[in-house]
């Protein structure tokens, strides 16, 4: 492996706690946390704001040329900036959630985002979470984890997250959204969601955040020999 830095890839279904574990792990190891899903959400937000038709390849390519995404750390959390605007909250709405899988399935979008993700990972020690990090973005990652949880648990977590932010919706709407995203993510032609052969599965249906973090830290000690 030519790079000297460490890459930890965490893949899995939506609303199974990937980002929560990845953030905590990055903080514990003093690594940089990269939320690849947030990048696709930022692209989705830009497309929605600018009425980009996914069927219009020229419009998609032109829009991607005008999209600049960055992660800005601060004492409380890492902010995601879209063209210098903090969109950390704007990308988490149900409106974006309902469209992000379609945007993520576009080849030009994935090509652009993978290029940005690889650039970030080739410069520093990172923990990156997403759908295709261990299979497409960093197939040679030092550690690959595939996270999952039962559909009911995932729906409950997502519902609690959205209602806490004041969104008005039903549990059934959340379940339908997750099912829809699972189908698109798993069946899309470009970099579908799948478990890498050398990934270690973490089913966190009955684990709290501390137990999940301990599980991953122990894996890192075992596989990479990295001390806390």
């Amino acid at each position: 492996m030519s790079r000297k830095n460490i890459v930890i890839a965490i893949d899995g279904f939506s609303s199974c706690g990937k980002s929560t574990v990845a953030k905590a792990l990055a903080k514990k190891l003093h690594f940089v946390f990269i939320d690849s899903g947030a990048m696709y959400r930022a692209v989705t937000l830009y497309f929605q704001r600018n009425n980009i038709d996914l069927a219009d390849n020229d419009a998609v390519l032109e829009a991607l040329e005008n999209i600049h995404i960055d992660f800005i750390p601060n004492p409380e959390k890492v902010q995601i900036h879209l063209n210098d605007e903090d969109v950390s909250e704007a990308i988490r709405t149900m409106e974006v959630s309902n469209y992000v899988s379609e945007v993520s399935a576009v080849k030009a979008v994935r090509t652009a985002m993978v290029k940005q993700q690889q650039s970030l990972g080739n410069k520093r020690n990172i923990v990156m979470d997403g759908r295709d990090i261990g299979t497409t973005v960093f197939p040679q990652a030092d550690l690959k984890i595939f996270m999952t949880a039962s559909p009911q648990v995932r729906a409950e977590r997502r519902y609690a997250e959205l209602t806490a932010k004041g969104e008005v919706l039903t549990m059934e709407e959340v379940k339908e959204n997750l099912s829809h995203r699972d189908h698109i993510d798993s069946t899309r032609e470009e970099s579908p969601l799948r478990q890498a052969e050398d990934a270690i599965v973490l089913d966190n249906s009955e684990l709290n955040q501390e137990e999940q973090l301990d599980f991953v830290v122990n894996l890192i000690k075992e596989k990479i020999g990295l001390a806390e």
Side-chain angles (χ1 to χ4, degrees):
M1 189 179 301
S2 58
R3 34 162 244 282
K4 297 180 180 178
N5 55 296
I6 295 172
V7 172
I8 298 173
I10 301 179
D11 291 310
F13 295 96
S14 58
S15 298
C16 66
K18 298 186 303 295
S19 293
T20 299
V21 171
K23 287 176 189 175
L25 183 61
K27 182 177 181 180
K28 192 176 189 70
L29 299 178
H30 304 291
F31 282 17
V32 176
F33 164 62
I34 305 295
D35 181 354
S36 72
M39 297 173 73
Y40 289 103
R41 284 176 171 271
V43 173
T44 300
L45 181 65
Y46 183 93
F47 280 15
Q48 288 178 325
R49 286 176 172 178
N50 293 277
N51 299 312
I52 303 300
D53 182 358
L54 296 185
D56 187 339
N57 190 59
D58 289 339
V60 169
L61 291 174
E62 182 178 353
L64 289 170
E65 287 291 328
N66 295 316
I67 293 175
H68 304 285
I69 298 172
D70 198 7
F71 290 86
I72 309 297
N74 66 35
E76 294 183 1
K77 64 179 181 179
V78 176
Q79 298 176 342
I80 181 166
H81 283 208
L82 170 62
N83 297 337
D84 297 322
E85 175 194 353
D86 181 5
V87 294
S88 303
E89 296 300 325
I91 63 173
R92 299 297 175 184
T93 65
M94 182 59 83
E95 183 180 10
V96 171
S97 295
N98 284 333
Y99 195 44
V100 65
S101 289
E102 281 87 347
V103 173
S104 300
V106 176
K107 182 176 181 178
V109 173
R110 297 211 72 82
T111 299
M113 291 302 101
V114 168
K115 185 177 180 180
Q116 287 195 36
Q117 291 157 12
Q118 290 174 333
S119 177
L120 290 167
N122 286 328
K123 297 175 182 176
R124 62 197 81 174
N125 293 332
I126 65 168
V127 179
M128 185 178 291
D129 79 309
R131 305 289 194 280
D132 62 348
I133 309 306
T135 54
T136 300
V137 184
F138 288 107
Q140 300 301 321
D142 298 271
L143 177 65
K144 301 177 188 178
I145 297 168
F146 189 86
M147 288 183 61
T148 187
S150 71
Q152 181 64 31
V153 168
R154 291 168 55 213
E156 290 172 356
R157 290 171 179 168
R158 183 65 174 152
Y159 179 79
E161 176 188 351
L162 291 170
T163 55
K165 294 179 179 179
E167 292 208 35
V168 179
L169 72 173
T170 66
M171 178 67 78
E172 190 57 36
E173 287 175 314
V174 173
K175 288 182 177 179
E176 289 178 2
N177 172 255
L178 291 179
S179 177
H180 176 65
R181 291 177 65 187
D182 286 350
H183 175 73
I184 292 177
D185 291 344
S186 301
T187 60
R188 68 188 180 212
E189 184 176 348
E190 295 297 324
S191 303
L193 168 64
R194 61 183 176 83
Q195 179 187 332
E197 291 184 4
D198 53 346
I200 297 170
V201 176
L202 168 55
D203 185 331
N204 65 7
S205 299
E206 299 182 3
L207 299 179
N208 61 36
Q209 292 180 13
E210 183 177 354
E211 290 169 334
Q212 295 173 57
L213 182 59
D214 287 343
F215 177 89
V216 178
V217 168
N218 287 332
L219 279 179
I220 291 170
K221 290 178 180 178
E222 176 186 343
K223 302 293 183 180
I224 304 177
L226 192 67
E228 293 180 31

